Amino acid sequence: MDLVPALEEPLKQPLKSVLGPATAKVMAEHLGLHSVGDLLHHYPRRYEERGQLTHLADLPMDEHVTVVAMVADARLHSFASAKAPRGKGQRLEVTITDGSGRLQLVFFGNGVHKPHKELLPGTRAMFAGRVSVFNRRLQLAHPAYELLRGDSDETVETWAGALIPIYPATAKLESWKIGKALQTVLPTAQEAIDPLPEGLREGRGLVSLPEALLKIHRPHTKADIEDARARLKWDEAFVLQVALARRRHADAQLPAVARKPKPDGLLTAFDDRLPFTLTEGQQKVSKEIFDDLATEHPMHRLLQGEVGSGKTMVALRAMLATVDAGGQAAMLAPTEVLAQQHHRSVVEMMGELAEGGMLGGAEHSTKVVLLTGSMGAAARRQALLDLVTGEAGIVIGTHALIEDKVQFHDLGLVVVDEQHRFGVEQRDALRGKGKQPPHLLVMTATPIPRTVAMTVFGDLETSVLDQLPAGRSPIASHVVPAADKPHFLSRAWERVREEVESGHQAYVVCPRIGDEEDDPKKSGKKKSPEDEAEKRPPLAVLDVADQLAKGPLQGLSVEVLHGRMHPDDKDAVMRRFAAGDTDVLVATTVIEVGVNVPNATAMVIMDADRFGVSQLHQLRGRVGRGSAPGLCLLVTEMPEASAARQRLTAVASTLDGFELSRIDLEQRREGDVLGQAQSGARTSLRVLAVIEDEEVIAEAREEAAAVVAADPELTGLPGLRTALGALLDEEREQYLDKG
């Protein structure tokens, strides 16, 4: 990277002996900050005004938070414990308030002396710690704190006048220490090179980069913050869109074999067999895909649609069109259960058309083979042979498809199911198996708002299936507050019994398997009161199945399914459930994608607050797949005011996955989604909020396309080239190169 030396300077060497080596080490290991430039781009999450109170009522569970509040009261208690049997244990409980709510702080043992002297009623301070629940109340155990004394010049200077920046922090490094480190390096912001072309910056009235960095870290007014954020959002949106525009430009130069389906081939024979007509959406999306397949550069298309909107049907028709045109199609699934399920449903949908080379096969037919890691040697050898000779037109498999031994006769189309579960390298390895780059269709059932798709998959054209096929039933969803109203949980099990008695089946989903060995580091210790204050571990499949079979669901056939079972056992359990031999399946999220049992009408999700919004929506899509209505019960012990409960209420209130994905993003911030979609690389979005900043992203995309069209190598824009190198670190750069 040709960054300015001052900004490239590593934090690890004691910089003018101000950032000590210990602080630099924590910044590198816990916040990913290695250079002065990295630290300057670590922006405040929000700002507190002295004299104004924050919202204790909205604290997120189990997250590290910083709050500014006033001490309401402080009490020292004595108690007896293993370490202090004579009642000499000490616990300091401090209640803080901010006008919106109250929060308890708790200190133990020798840690009580300093806060007992300093945290007197009426004292204002910043507190930082991890939010936990104890006796059904939110608390911070052993928080770090910094007193706010308005009279100290040093304090006022350090925290920039009236506005106190609150930085994303960790348990090892509080926000105010990050603030002090930033004040040290802030003068070097003057040397930052501006990535935006001058015409663009002036045309949009944006401040320069050095000015933006000064204003975001040391604002004097709210207008300073607005100016800085407006400018820094443009940097992020524009640099990311330039990277994607370069990628689209490079793809357009690649050659590919055009795959035009021949009339009266496999595709026509398949369509003639269908017992229903395709939805309007399926027809429209199929046409977009066929138009792409007919061009001589590789298709890159993202197909997203609600659970059950018929994505598999659209993908299968694209695969048949490829086979008609003399090529082979490969479908990559994230798990063996899903690969087997896809293989079964494709063979069922195709009937005799899937019996190529066999007696009784149709005139237009091909072989559909399955390839997974746990197959027997003979079956595997035959599958590999069918691929290399071209006998098999369609192969469905897990990452076993990517191994070196797998050779294709002529790979024309790669379909990737549940895109976010595959690393970039895996997709790239499969694409490398074509004589020329194959066409690529990426499918996801996690609905992604348009702007996220533009930001994350900006190099892919996007198709959306938003109609559900006729015959799908509505799903009623309800939150079951197990702690507040235990009788609601009893009623939930009664509802499961009722569904089974009327001939249906049910899922019970848990966050954990339950056969994990205890961590030896943890098990050796006696639990301290602080540990007791931590949340209980998530409910486990094996425990819950056992309790249900002996208790509320006694007499019903209950089976378990989880990821650590042997693939044959998993398949056998799934087959028994699909055949209706099992009443209730207690499972982990292995059933989240692709499992299709139309007779399953009820789902109870235990500890539902431990799952993300889109994951809950995915899980819920497993019921109501037949003609009977579906029921989804979200069981939680979280208090009503908590953010987790609000999230569950949002899931229960709408079946629109796109609406839920917006809620999810607004609550979780984009980092999770971008990180997940981008092979786990650290997200580079710090101030850009893809939901709020739709206009900025759309405008940046247009500007980026124009810049790249005029100068693909960016030879005239050294500042932009530098920013590409810094913003898209090596991992992300690879991601964008490979797609």
Side-chain angles (χ1 to χ4, degrees):
M1 281 198 301
D2 45 343
L3 267 176
V4 183
L7 296 195
E8 266 194 331
E9 193 161 354
L11 296 169
K12 273 248 171 91
Q13 67 188 43
L15 179 68
K16 306 187 189 71
S17 74
V18 177
L19 276 207
T23 306
K25 187 169 184 252
V26 172
M27 283 190 173
E29 286 174 7
H30 294 273
L31 295 170
L33 307 176
H34 301 280
S35 67
V36 172
D38 289 345
L39 183 53
L40 285 172
H41 287 294
H42 187 71
Y43 308 132
R45 182 172 279 167
R46 58 190 171 82
Y47 301 84
E48 289 295 355
E49 291 179 70
R50 269 184 219 292
Q52 188 198 31
L53 298 164
T54 60
H55 283 283
L56 290 181
D58 302 336
L59 289 181
M61 261 305 297
D62 210 28
E63 273 186 32
H64 202 276
V65 298
T66 302
V67 295
V68 173
M70 182 184 288
V71 176
D73 70 65
R75 295 175 189 191
L76 193 60
H77 301 275
S78 299
F79 64 91
S81 72
K83 284 186 183 166
R86 290 200 200 78
K88 290 191 175 167
Q90 289 194 307
R91 182 174 76 245
L92 176 66
E93 287 176 5
V94 177
T95 305
I96 58 172
T97 179
D98 66 355
S100 78
R102 298 164 84 82
L103 179 66
Q104 188 153 24
L105 315 178
V106 56
F107 301 87
F108 294 95
N110 294 334
V112 303
H113 305 307
K114 184 166 177 273
H116 190 216
K117 280 202 297 250
E118 294 182 336
L119 297 179
L120 304 171
T123 309
R124 300 178 48 74
M126 293 169 79
F127 302 92
R130 187 173 290 282
V131 183
S132 58
V133 169
F134 184 62
N135 280 346
R136 293 177 49 198
R137 285 167 64 193
L138 294 182
Q139 71 164 24
L140 298 183
H142 281 283
Y145 62 88
E146 182 95 339
L147 302 178
L148 293 175
R149 300 188 181 91
D151 52 6
S152 147
D153 290 344
E154 188 259 344
T155 312
V156 176
E157 176 52 36
T158 309
W159 281 314
L163 291 163
I164 306 169
I166 305 288
Y167 289 93
T170 78
K172 296 259 176 20
L173 195 66
E174 293 85 21
S175 169
W176 50 86
K177 290 185 181 161
I178 297 171
K180 283 174 180 168
L182 263 152
Q183 297 304 330
T184 309
V185 301
L186 207 48
T188 51
Q190 295 302 339
E191 299 179 45
I193 292 187
D194 207 316
L196 294 190
E198 205 166 318
L200 188 159
R201 188 165 66 76
E202 286 171 358
R204 295 190 174 271
L206 299 167
V207 300
S208 71
L209 181 57
E211 190 182 336
L213 289 171
L214 280 170
K215 283 183 166 174
I216 198 131
H217 291 300
R218 196 184 281 174
H220 293 296
T221 62
K222 287 185 176 171
D224 282 355
I225 300 169
E226 287 308 306
D227 285 353
R229 289 178 73 84
R231 162 60 216 247
L232 295 166
K233 277 178 183 183
W234 253 94
D235 276 19
E236 289 180 5
F238 180 70
V239 175
L240 191 53
Q241 292 299 341
V242 165
L244 293 166
R246 288 180 75 189
R247 166 112 165 80
R248 285 196 302 275
H249 182 272
D251 278 340
Q253 320 302 314
L254 288 175
V257 180
R259 308 282 178 178
K260 296 179 185 159
K262 55 173 185 260
D264 302 327
L266 252 178
L267 180 61
T268 312
F270 176 76
D271 285 351
D272 291 345
R273 290 175 47 97
L274 285 178
F276 51 82
T277 47
L278 298 173
T279 64
E280 235 175 278
Q282 285 174 320
Q283 289 172 357
K284 177 177 145 285
V285 169
S286 287
K287 183 182 181 314
E288 291 169 351
I289 292 171
F290 291 153
D291 289 350
D292 280 1
L293 288 173
T295 60
E296 294 190 344
H297 60 88
M299 161 171 86
H300 278 127
R301 190 167 280 280
L302 172 69
L303 169 59
Q304 55 164 337
E306 284 285 14
V307 171
S309 58
K311 291 183 302 298
T312 312
M313 173 62 70
V314 169
L316 177 54
R317 293 183 75 237
M319 295 198 286
L320 294 173
T322 306
V323 175
D324 270 348
Q328 290 169 292
M331 185 185 229
L332 190 57
T335 65
E336 295 212 353
V337 169
L338 196 49
Q340 287 161 342
Q341 182 112 14
H342 275 319
H343 182 256
R344 270 205 296 278
S345 59
V346 164
V347 170
E348 274 166 30
M349 283 196 273
M350 287 176 63
E352 60 189 20
L353 301 178
E355 295 170 359
M358 292 157 70
L359 280 173
E363 173 200 353
H364 300 293
S365 60
T366 187
K367 226 176 185 182
V368 180
V369 301
L370 175 69
L371 191 63
T372 65
S374 66
M375 281 169 73
R380 190 182 172 76
R381 254 198 317 277
Q382 186 58 51
L384 292 174
L385 189 64
D386 289 341
L387 286 181
V388 77
T389 58
E391 184 90 5
I394 295 177
V395 58
I396 297 169
T398 55
H399 51 268
L401 279 175
I402 297 165
E403 292 169 11
D404 293 342
K405 288 196 281 266
V406 181
Q407 298 297 321
F408 289 85
H409 178 64
D410 179 14
L411 182 59
L413 169 68
V414 173
V415 179
V416 179
D417 190 23
E418 285 307 311
Q419 132 81 18
H420 62 267
R421 305 200 172 200
F422 285 101
V424 180
E425 291 73 19
Q426 293 170 308
R427 291 204 308 279
D428 193 48
L430 190 51
R431 279 173 57 186
K433 289 184 179 293
K435 295 189 174 71
Q436 281 191 323
H439 299 281
L440 177 69
L441 179 65
V442 164
M443 300 200 297
T444 177
T446 309
I448 307 170
R450 190 181 69 91
T451 36
V452 184
M454 266 169 55
T455 312
V456 182
F457 302 109
D459 55 324
L460 298 172
E461 296 300 323
T462 305
S463 297
V464 177
L465 278 173
D466 46 14
Q467 283 173 295
L468 286 186
R472 286 301 296 268
S473 306
I475 304 170
S477 304
H478 303 284
V479 177
V480 177
D484 309 350
K485 299 177 179 166
H487 60 286
F488 275 38
L489 184 57
S490 311
R491 176 73 189 117
W493 301 126
E494 283 170 27
R495 282 291 291 115
V496 170
R497 269 192 177 286
E498 287 163 17
E499 288 298 312
V500 173
E501 279 159 16
S502 55
H504 298 300
Q505 292 160 279
Y507 297 101
V508 176
V509 181
C510 305
R512 204 164 59 94
I513 296 173
D515 62 354
E516 299 85 349
E517 288 180 26
D518 282 341
D519 185 343
K521 287 190 202 117
K522 290 178 188 162
S523 57
K525 289 185 186 172
K526 283 207 170 67
K527 282 203 166 180
S528 68
E530 299 100 301
D531 292 334
E532 295 291 352
E534 286 296 338
K535 300 192 306 182
R536 62 163 174 75
L539 290 171
V541 165
L542 301 176
D543 305 340
V544 168
D546 192 44
Q547 287 158 14
L548 290 177
K550 289 176 182 164
L553 302 185
Q554 199 169 4
L556 304 186
S557 73
V558 177
E559 288 211 63
V560 300
L561 180 72
H562 58 75
R564 278 212 290 277
M565 287 163 66
H566 187 279
D568 292 348
D569 297 342
K570 274 194 285 201
D571 200 39
V573 168
M574 262 330 293
R575 279 177 191 276
R576 284 197 293 275
F577 190 65
D581 301 339
T582 307
D583 297 324
V584 179
L585 186 62
V586 183
T588 57
T589 53
V590 291
I591 61 154
E592 180 186 349
V593 285
V595 172
N596 186 16
V597 180
N599 191 44
T601 51
M603 175 176 284
V604 181
I605 303 180
M606 307 304 290
D607 280 342
D609 47 276
R610 312 277 177 124
F611 299 96
V613 169
S614 48
Q615 204 172 24
L616 290 169
H617 181 60
Q618 282 270 39
L619 285 164
R620 171 171 64 183
R622 301 295 116 218
V623 293
R625 298 178 79 83
S627 50
L631 171 70
C632 179
L633 302 175
L634 306 166
V635 180
T636 177
E637 292 186 358
M638 282 292 144
E640 199 165 354
S642 63
R645 266 290 279 281
Q646 287 160 10
R647 217 170 54 228
L648 295 180
T649 306
V651 173
S653 66
T654 177
L655 288 172
D656 180 341
F658 288 92
E659 178 54 33
L660 283 174
S661 65
R662 290 181 77 96
I663 293 169
D664 199 12
L665 275 173
E666 281 160 0
Q667 291 192 336
R668 289 195 307 163
R669 299 179 75 243
E670 294 74 22
D672 302 356
V673 173
L674 294 174
Q676 179 186 48
Q678 291 170 335
S679 73
R682 189 165 58 96
T683 174
S684 59
L685 296 195
R686 295 185 175 91
V687 283
L688 191 70
V690 288
I691 292 292
E692 292 161 35
D693 300 319
E694 298 194 35
E695 279 174 37
V696 175
I697 291 167
E699 288 170 21
R701 188 180 169 114
E702 280 174 34
E703 294 270 14
V707 165
V708 171
D711 179 7
E713 293 306 308
L714 310 177
T715 40
L717 297 165
L720 179 55
R721 278 210 317 278
T722 297
L724 266 179
L727 192 66
L728 306 170
D729 53 30
E730 234 171 274
E731 219 179 327
R732 286 287 295 284
E733 193 67 88
Q734 266 183 339
Y735 169 79
L736 291 164
D737 282 349
K738 292 177 173 181

